[in-house]
Amino acid sequence: MGKINISLSRKTEGPGYRIVALILFVLFFQLGFAGVPEAAAVAAAGAENDAESVLADPAVVEEVRDIIIADYPMEISQAVMEAATVPEMLDALGDPYAHYLQTRDFTNLMNVINMSFVGIGVVLDDHSEGIVVSQVILGGPAAEAGIRAGDILVSVDGVDLKGKSCQESVSLLKGEAGSMVELCYCRGEETLTVHLERRAVQIPQVVGDVFDSVGVVTVSSFGMGMEWEFAGTVQALREQGARSWVIDLRGNGGGLVDTALEMLGFFIGGQDAVVWQTSKEKSSEKAVPQVFTIDEPVIVLADGMTASASEIVIGALRDYEKAVILGERTYGSGRFKQVFPLSNGDFFMMTISRFYTPKENPVDFIGLLPDLQLSEDEVLTAAKMLLRSQPVDRDEVTGDGEATNTDGNIDAGVLGMAVSRDETGYLRWQVGTQSFRVSLSDWHMEENWSAGQELIDQCLGITSVSVGTEQGWQEVSEEDLLRRWPVYFPGYQPLDILDVACPQDMISREIVSSQDMAPWETVFVQAVLPDNLLPYMSQAELIDAANGQRIEASCCLRDQGMELAASSSLLPDHQYWLVIADGDGGGTVGQLTIDSPIVE
């Protein structure tokens, strides 16, 4: 499904105004939030119009050529000057963002940016039995008719949807406002039919939720009025207890430049937000000050589809050290575009300059790298983990002599007498310019395990991790990061495991009997356990190192070591952590791998 994004800004010039656009690009992926709004099947602007006779009209050709000569910031070839049609001229120009837009195409593009459509108000995904409704837009015709997420659309006006794509289904759902459509859908074993009137539907550009004290705000587009949606969402989440923020810009390909400047005002006030440069001059745009500012800890999520106005926001937040960026490198759409109204009512768009971050870091083609590169599956979980714990108290000095503040940040330049502070039970992650205090209890949770493992992978050589002690923070060595378990069980001692025998091996060695094994899966562990831990053997914990799954287990002494009995099958060639705690905040951890059984 094609997604079209355009970033625009309006500037007054003389008696009228020109529409200044930032970056039109056409990417083939699903719109915004993992689905296709039923009215978003818009053809790539101008893609079907380049062969139209109007593009060979000498008056139109000369008008477009005059615009290029006057405002294109790069070298113009002789082929551009000699082209007889607009398509020939654009081919010779070589600007990947130059397009001829007919009026209806420009209107459709603006509707996509503003998330406003005429339809029934659903977001669709492909499904083997038809088309599945992945989201129902509140206030739309579908919501009012009782259609729910998960319903399977099987036909539209009698046309079977089985085997059709979202694109094809969208074309059937589209229509004029006020027209009717018959929709047949399945919910479980029930088949229902409704008649809906198509009408204008406004899809929210901003949605938010609170997880503990973390406010997660997803911004899908920078359309007109998004800044007010953003402000209202932040205020509502603050009332629900949000004290730190995840701003999710994944998949957000941009929107209006003015809206990006408005949004940045909530973070940087009226400071410079973006620098742009043509072949003749360099200038900057300032953010728009807002009625409140967000000065709590902020993490921004980005991916390869984060582009345009989103990159303006990310670049400024990073340059002013207002946020940490997690995820993937952004798209790299760093060009200002201008949309020029033509005398025949159509529009022409092309690059007029490149833009840079406030510190003049480039964006075009290369994108912006996150502070930590994390996968799509784990980045949101990782962000919530980093933000969830209570921040370090203001102006208190940690055991390593660094001053801290309420953001959990380290004021490295402030020195003083080291004050003993008990940080037991916490980790401190230094990511980018900020520090995050993470609860070990969160870190141990199975649902957070994969994200934690990926954080450790990505921090090696990039950032530092410290564990909390009674005297403050102690940095984790690279060796311990590679071993991993010292991050989860700081202060524990390694258990030197000499040998692990599988059940079949043990039977052949006559160490245990088959009756001893059932219903447990039993292994024999040869290791030297410290005397002070012998009373705690029966409380041993077995953890799957890959996913954090806890496996009920018990240990007992045997003549040649320990017999470990687990409540479920232990996988061969799989690493486990055998954890024995001493009941006083210490213990031992052994890494064991179950070898494939010996078959005799």
Side-chain angles (χ1 to χ4, degrees), residues 174-181 196-199:
K174 285 174 24 177
E176 296 293 329
S179 63
M180 301 296 296
V181 60
L196 304 176
E197 180 181 353
R198 299 180 179 95
R199 66 169 188 262

Side-chain angles (χ1 to χ4, degrees), residues 179-451:
S179 63
M180 301 296 296
V181 60
E182 180 187 83
L183 195 64
C184 181
Y185 63 97
C186 292
R187 180 180 298 160
E189 300 297 323
E190 188 178 12
T191 300
L192 303 168
T193 299
V194 293
H195 292 82
L196 304 176
E197 180 181 353
R198 299 180 179 95
R199 66 169 188 262
V201 177
Q202 182 67 49
I203 299 176
Q205 299 177 73
V206 182
V207 295
D209 205 348
V210 175
F211 300 87
D212 295 330
S213 62
V214 181
V216 178
V217 182
T218 301
V219 181
S220 301
S221 181
F222 285 83
M224 298 177 72
M226 185 282 286
E227 67 272 22
W228 302 115
E229 290 186 46
F230 180 80
T233 300
V234 168
Q235 290 173 325
L237 297 186
R238 276 181 170 168
E239 292 175 0
Q240 297 174 41
R243 295 295 178 267
S244 57
W245 304 96
V246 175
I247 309 299
D248 192 348
L249 296 181
R250 291 176 295 172
N252 186 327
L256 306 176
V257 173
D258 281 349
T259 303
L261 300 179
E262 294 273 0
M263 180 178 174
L264 279 171
F266 291 105
F267 300 91
I268 66 172
Q271 299 183 84
D272 286 346
V274 64
V275 173
W276 58 272
Q277 185 170 22
T278 68
S279 59
K280 302 174 183 177
E281 62 175 329
K282 179 185 291 185
S283 185
S284 63
E285 295 278 354
K286 293 185 181 295
V288 180
Q290 299 295 342
V291 294
F292 67 87
T293 57
I294 297 174
D295 53 13
E296 302 97 339
V298 176
I299 290 177
V300 177
L301 308 186
D303 64 10
M305 298 296 103
T306 301
S308 176
S310 294
E311 291 174 297
I312 290 178
V313 169
I314 289 174
L317 292 179
R318 168 178 283 173
D319 280 3
Y320 290 109
E321 299 183 359
K322 294 294 185 180
V324 164
I325 316 303
L326 301 183
E328 302 170 356
R329 184 193 292 269
T330 63
Y331 181 81
S333 181
R335 297 189 184 191
F336 278 107
K337 313 297 289 187
Q338 182 161 317
V339 175
F340 299 84
L342 301 176
S343 58
N344 65 356
D346 289 343
F347 299 88
F348 175 64
M349 177 186 293
M350 72 174 185
T351 297
I352 61 165
S353 68
R354 285 189 168 94
F355 78 81
Y356 302 82
T357 73
K359 291 186 176 180
E360 300 192 21
N361 295 311
V363 176
D364 202 26
F365 292 114
I366 62 174
L368 298 170
L369 274 174
D371 294 298
L372 282 181
Q373 297 190 61
L374 298 173
S375 69
E376 185 83 9
D377 293 337
E378 307 299 345
V379 65
L380 178 57
T381 300
K384 290 190 289 188
M385 266 204 299
L386 291 173
L387 290 170
R388 186 179 288 119
S389 298
Q390 290 297 318
V392 180
D393 293 336
R394 181 176 294 279
D395 295 334
E396 187 156 5
V397 181
T398 66
D400 53 13
E402 294 177 321
T404 60
N405 56 41
T406 53
D407 296 341
N409 297 335
I410 306 302
D411 298 328
V414 181
L415 300 178
M417 182 179 297
V419 177
S420 176
R421 177 192 175 97
D422 188 354
E423 294 288 355
T424 304
Y426 290 91
L427 299 171
R428 189 181 72 185
W429 287 77
Q430 182 73 33
V431 184
T433 59
Q434 298 189 26
S435 291
F436 299 92
R437 186 168 178 257
V438 182
S439 167
L440 274 173
S441 60
D442 275 356
W443 198 252
H444 284 184
M445 294 173 66
E446 189 173 327
E447 57 265 36
N448 296 333
W449 196 271
S450 294

Side-chain angles (χ1 to χ4, degrees), residues 427-500:
L427 299 171
R428 189 181 72 185
W429 287 77
Q430 182 73 33
V431 184
T433 59
Q434 298 189 26
S435 291
F436 299 92
R437 186 168 178 257
V438 182
S439 167
L440 274 173
S441 60
D442 275 356
W443 198 252
H444 284 184
M445 294 173 66
E446 189 173 327
E447 57 265 36
N448 296 333
W449 196 271
S450 294
Q453 295 285 298
E454 194 165 319
L455 274 170
I456 293 175
D457 283 342
Q458 295 303 318
C459 79
L460 288 168
I462 297 176
T463 185
S464 65
V465 183
S466 300
V467 297
T469 69
E470 291 182 354
Q471 291 75 41
W473 299 109
Q474 179 179 340
E475 188 168 341
V476 181
S477 68
E478 185 166 325
E479 178 185 357
D480 280 347
L481 286 173
L482 289 169
R483 290 194 294 171
R484 297 179 183 272
W485 67 260
V487 180
Y488 290 81
F489 299 97
Y492 281 42
Q493 299 301 312
L495 176 64
D496 189 14
I497 295 177
L498 304 176
D499 185 31
V500 179

Side-chain angles (χ1 to χ4, degrees), residues 18-309:
R18 295 191 298 171
I19 301 175
V20 178
L22 169 63
I23 308 144
L24 169 71
F25 63 96
V26 180
L27 299 173
F28 289 91
F29 63 100
Q30 292 181 325
L31 181 61
F33 30 81
V36 182
E38 86 283 358
V42 183
E48 296 179 354
N49 300 320
D50 288 350
E52 299 286 343
S53 60
V54 65
L55 299 183
D57 185 326
V60 172
V61 173
E62 285 308 308
E63 188 173 6
V64 171
R65 187 166 15 239
D66 288 344
I67 292 171
I68 293 173
I69 293 171
D71 291 291
Y72 191 63
M74 288 164 271
E75 183 178 354
I76 301 172
S77 69
Q78 187 63 30
V80 172
M81 307 302 295
E82 297 174 353
T85 68
V86 171
E88 291 175 5
M89 194 181 306
L90 298 188
D91 287 343
L93 187 66
D95 179 0
Y97 303 114
H99 294 271
Y100 186 95
L101 308 176
Q102 289 191 340
T103 304
R104 66 174 181 272
D105 298 314
F106 181 75
T107 300
N108 285 337
L109 283 170
M110 290 305 300
N111 285 339
V112 171
I113 291 300
N114 292 323
M115 308 287 278
S116 178
F117 309 104
V118 172
I120 64 171
V122 292
V123 178
L124 307 177
D125 278 331
D126 293 319
H127 191 277
S128 59
E129 297 300 320
I131 300 295
V132 65
V133 177
S134 62
Q135 183 178 347
V136 180
I137 308 303
L138 293 177
E144 294 173 357
I147 294 174
R148 306 174 191 168
D151 290 343
I152 307 297
L153 306 188
V154 295
S155 70
V156 176
D157 287 334
V159 178
D160 189 359
L161 298 183
K162 187 172 183 179
K164 293 189 181 299
S165 66
C166 280
Q167 176 89 23
E168 294 171 301
S169 302
V170 161
S171 66
L172 296 172
L173 288 170
K174 285 174 24 177
E176 296 293 329
S179 63
M180 301 296 296
V181 60
E182 180 187 83
L183 195 64
C184 181
Y185 63 97
C186 292
R187 180 180 298 160
E189 300 297 323
E190 188 178 12
T191 300
L192 303 168
T193 299
V194 293
H195 292 82
L196 304 176
E197 180 181 353
R198 299 180 179 95
R199 66 169 188 262
V201 177
Q202 182 67 49
I203 299 176
Q205 299 177 73
V206 182
V207 295
D209 205 348
V210 175
F211 300 87
D212 295 330
S213 62
V214 181
V216 178
V217 182
T218 301
V219 181
S220 301
S221 181
F222 285 83
M224 298 177 72
M226 185 282 286
E227 67 272 22
W228 302 115
E229 290 186 46
F230 180 80
T233 300
V234 168
Q235 290 173 325
L237 297 186
R238 276 181 170 168
E239 292 175 0
Q240 297 174 41
R243 295 295 178 267
S244 57
W245 304 96
V246 175
I247 309 299
D248 192 348
L249 296 181
R250 291 176 295 172
N252 186 327
L256 306 176
V257 173
D258 281 349
T259 303
L261 300 179
E262 294 273 0
M263 180 178 174
L264 279 171
F266 291 105
F267 300 91
I268 66 172
Q271 299 183 84
D272 286 346
V274 64
V275 173
W276 58 272
Q277 185 170 22
T278 68
S279 59
K280 302 174 183 177
E281 62 175 329
K282 179 185 291 185
S283 185
S284 63
E285 295 278 354
K286 293 185 181 295
V288 180
Q290 299 295 342
V291 294
F292 67 87
T293 57
I294 297 174
D295 53 13
E296 302 97 339
V298 176
I299 290 177
V300 177
L301 308 186
D303 64 10
M305 298 296 103
T306 301
S308 176

